[in-house]
Amino acid sequence: MTKKSKQGPREAPTSSAAGPSRQARRAEARRADKGGPDDAPSAAPTKPATSPAKFELVREPVFWFGYEVSWAKLSLARFVIFALLALDALLQLSHAPRYGAGGFNVAQLPGFDAIAPGRVGFEVGQLVCAFLFVYAALGVATRIVVPFSAAIYAWLYFGSQLDSYQHHYLVALVLLLACFVPWKRRDDAKPETRIKTWAIRLLLVQLGVLYLWAAVSKMSPAWLDGRTLETQITGSLRTAIVDTVGFKTAARFALLTELVLAVAVWIRPAWFIALPLGIAFHLGILASNLEIGLFAYLMLAFYVFVIPDRALIFLANLAPLRLLRQGLRAVQIANGLLSAIAVVVSLGVGILLARFTRFDAAFNLAIALSVVPIAVIGVSRFRTGSTVIPWLGLAHVAAIALWLVVDRTSSIAVDYYRFWGGNARRLGEPLVAEQAYRRLTEIAPDVPNGHYQLGKLLLARGEEKGGLDALHEAQHLEPLRARAWIAEAQWLVKQGKKAEAIEKAQEAVYSEPSNQAARELLDTLSGTKSAPRPSVEKPPSDDDSDQP
């Protein structure tokens, strides 16, 4: 007698009316994934009576999601691109006085008029952008600072049409894509480590679209016959074109170059075409002296992605750079007290540097931005428990140091107050203009325009001593220009002091004999007619000296 098993009969590993077995489903999945029949032999499948819901495996598009770059390339591109963006943000500060002037604004997007930046907002926004871009360039808290900088940049340029240039739209798109790039270094990353990033592929495709649209916009008779290009090119490049191919040929070659780059810039095997052609093209744009800021340099920076990976890996593995990387990774502060001291020192140095920066809102903003490294440390410890790396403090100090360097090596701060005073004066806001010109004389006492404009404003409101002192300082700083002497002579006439006014008018003519206004004033006051003089180029007017 056979002993019966307590377990029921096993199910056969074949399909049944309820659907295919687990093995059959796995085999079907393998076939779908490989795009062909499974390698393992199997019996002919039995068609089920009822078919359940099918699950299809969809492969990611290799063109996008399979795109890889070496860590050497990604880190170099990160530094170059964000460093240029930081510098460009600071160079835009002189435009701030135009924003919000007169209370009139036309935004790029609906609804942005209500939140459009004014003078202070534009200044603060650009300073913050430069600060965050330096953090990103050095690879610090990129997941935080890149989205924030992208949002601020979009607010600045989509909130008003005052700076409505094509490259601002491109940079806004680049920053949006940059939010999805894995800029942060992995712990095991080496120069040759491959990083998958669909966003970089899309960025290169976007550059191709830019070149294509630029070429399409040039397909008109005004460009093809060279007329438009002839009005845009200046300097030595203009002479070179005239002496060689001519503007008609140069214009058509520029169009052809953009068509080629529209295809070659995003195809990796075409690097040997895109790299030399693109670099030469944008160097030519730089030589043309077009007023596009640092955009041509930024376009050159994008070509880091076109350089073959093996070249950058070779350079990164050279002994000096290899030792530098090892040293930076080895330096860290594990002690909590020393970590706190390092943070406090970096914050103090940053605030001290901002104190010597002449931008209107820099000092107070540096104090407010001290929360950024503290927040980064808090988030880092909460998420990973990592130690404080001095690289964070260095990034904070470097960001504010860039403010100071740009301020002290350029006329950006001087132009800021000069344009602010000029806008306020033309809009009938003398007190605001006086504030701007006072600040201008403080930060740049050797600039005559601040003293001249301040003197006129003070005399207009009856402050005789201060106004005359300012005009006399302007006369001292620009002895070969008549405008300060003319302003004093006109004021003396209003005070009924004709003899003194004639003396000042004579000083004006002596200082600048070619100034027609000075000669007419002297003729009117003295009642004589001066001998006509040969016509000369008209000097810039008072208003021209403080125009944005």
Side-chain angles (χ1 to χ4, degrees):
M1 184 175 182
T2 305
K3 186 176 180 180
K4 294 183 178 180
S5 174
K6 294 182 180 180
Q7 296 178 346
R10 296 175 180 266
E11 294 182 1
T14 57
S15 56
S16 64
S21 66
R22 181 179 300 176
Q23 290 86 346
R25 290 196 300 269
R26 288 179 178 174
E28 183 180 358
R30 286 195 298 271
R31 288 194 299 271
D33 185 51
K34 295 180 180 179
D38 191 12
D39 293 335
S42 60
T46 303
K47 186 176 181 179
T50 59
S51 178
K54 294 183 178 180
F55 296 92
E56 297 182 358
L57 297 180
V58 179
R59 300 182 64 182
E60 293 179 341
V62 177
F63 179 83
W64 300 108
F65 297 100
Y67 187 76
E68 295 180 343
V69 295
S70 65
W71 173 245
K73 175 181 289 189
L74 192 64
S75 58
L76 176 61
R78 182 194 67 199
F79 178 79
V80 174
I81 290 174
F82 284 107
L84 281 173
L85 288 174
L87 182 59
D88 185 64
L90 294 175
L91 295 180
Q92 302 304 312
L93 284 172
S94 60
H95 296 181
R98 299 189 301 164
Y99 284 78
F104 177 76
N105 181 67
V106 178
Q108 301 277 9
L109 297 175
F112 268 60
D113 282 313
I115 60 172
R119 176 185 59 83
V120 176
F122 187 86
E123 178 193 1
V124 170
Q126 294 289 15
L127 287 172
V128 172
C129 276
F131 177 88
L132 297 179
F133 287 148
V134 171
Y135 265 62
L138 297 179
V140 175
T142 54
R143 294 180 181 177
I144 300 174
V145 300
V146 174
F148 270 97
S149 61
I152 295 173
Y153 190 95
W155 169 62
L156 292 176
Y157 288 108
F158 291 134
S160 176
Q161 294 191 24
L162 281 172
D163 288 303
S164 182
Y165 299 105
Q166 187 181 39
H167 64 270
H168 291 140
Y169 307 137
L170 176 65
V171 173
L173 287 173
V174 168
L175 289 174
L176 177 61
L177 294 176
C179 296
F180 303 97
V181 176
W183 301 111
K184 182 177 175 59
R185 179 186 176 275
R186 295 185 341 211
D187 293 336
D188 60 343
K190 298 178 180 179
E192 59 272 15
T193 300
R194 309 297 294 179
I195 308 295
K196 283 190 175 183
T197 167
W198 60 266
I200 296 299
R201 170 74 89 176
L202 185 54
L203 187 151
L204 292 174
V205 172
Q206 175 61 39
L207 291 183
V209 173
L210 175 69
Y211 285 125
L212 178 61
W213 177 248
V216 170
S217 66
K218 291 180 175 63
M219 294 179 183
S220 65
W223 179 269
L224 294 176
D225 62 11
R227 284 177 294 162
T228 303
L229 184 64
E230 187 175 5
T231 62
Q232 296 177 345
I233 303 298
T234 60
S236 58
L237 182 61
R238 181 184 183 89
T239 304
I241 293 175
V242 171
D243 294 342
T244 54
V245 297
F247 284 103
K248 181 177 180 179
T249 302
R252 298 187 177 193
F253 180 76
L255 189 152
L256 178 61
T257 299
E258 290 173 336
L259 287 175
V260 172
L261 291 175
V263 178
V265 75
W266 52 269
I267 299 178
R268 197 192 299 267
W271 70 267
F272 66 94
I273 299 174
L275 188 61
L277 185 62
I279 290 177
F281 181 68
H282 290 289
L283 288 177
I285 293 176
L286 286 173
S288 68
N289 296 324
L290 291 177
E291 297 294 333
I292 55 176
L294 294 182
F295 180 62
Y297 292 99
L298 185 62
M299 290 297 294
L300 287 171
F302 290 144
Y303 278 83
V304 172
F305 293 119
V306 183
I307 301 174
D309 287 80
R310 58 183 178 273
L312 296 178
I313 293 172
F314 171 78
L315 293 175
N317 282 324
L318 293 177
L321 292 178
R322 187 172 64 252
L323 292 175
L324 177 61
R325 292 197 309 274
Q326 293 173 353
L328 292 174
R329 287 198 294 268
V331 176
Q332 60 182 11
I333 303 176
N335 184 278
L337 178 60
L338 293 179
S339 299
I341 293 175
V343 173
V344 171
V345 169
S346 64
L347 296 181
V349 172
I351 293 174
L352 181 63
L353 292 174
R355 185 66 183 86
F356 293 98
T357 302
R358 300 176 298 177
F359 299 128
D360 192 34
F363 180 65
N364 293 332
L365 185 59
I367 297 174
L369 289 175
S370 298
V371 72
V372 174
I374 297 174
V376 170
I377 293 170
V379 172
S380 178
R381 284 191 173 276
F382 175 76
R383 295 184 60 184
T384 63
S386 61
T387 57
V388 177
I389 301 176
W391 197 246
L392 172 62
L394 176 63
H396 184 80
V397 173
I400 299 180
L402 184 63
W403 295 359
L404 182 61
V405 170
V406 171
D407 172 23
R408 296 293 178 169
T409 59
S410 71
S411 63
I412 299 298
V414 173
D415 292 340
Y416 173 89
Y417 293 106
R418 190 161 54 88
F419 297 158
W420 181 18
N423 278 337
R425 180 167 52 83
R426 284 183 290 274
L427 291 172
E429 301 174 344
L431 294 180
V432 176
E434 179 183 337
Q435 177 187 354
Y437 287 127
R438 283 190 183 278
R439 181 64 177 144
L440 177 58
T441 59
E442 291 174 4
I443 70 168
D446 56 340
V447 174
N449 188 68
H451 299 283
Y452 167 69
Q453 299 289 2
L454 179 61
K456 289 175 58 179
L457 288 170
L458 294 178
L459 289 178
R461 76 174 196 185
E463 191 172 328
E464 178 179 339
K465 184 179 184 308
L468 291 177
D469 288 345
L471 288 181
H472 293 162
E473 182 65 20
Q475 294 164 5
H476 170 72
L477 292 173
E478 47 182 13
L480 300 181
R481 195 167 182 185
R483 62 177 184 171
W485 302 99
I486 293 174
E488 185 175 2
Q490 291 172 338
W491 180 81
L492 289 170
V493 170
K494 293 179 181 179
Q495 305 303 311
K497 301 177 181 180
K498 185 175 181 180
E500 297 179 28
I502 292 176
E503 293 180 3
K504 297 300 178 182
Q506 290 173 339
E507 292 286 352
V509 174
Y510 294 154
S511 62
E512 190 178 358
S514 62
N515 191 295
Q516 188 64 29
R519 299 191 62 81
E520 290 177 357
L521 177 62
L522 178 60
D523 292 343
T524 301
L525 292 176
S526 61
T528 60
K529 183 66 175 177
S530 302
R533 289 179 172 268
S535 60
V536 294
E537 183 179 354
K538 183 180 179 181
S541 67
D542 297 342
D543 288 345
D544 291 338
S545 61
D546 54 17
Q547 283 281 1

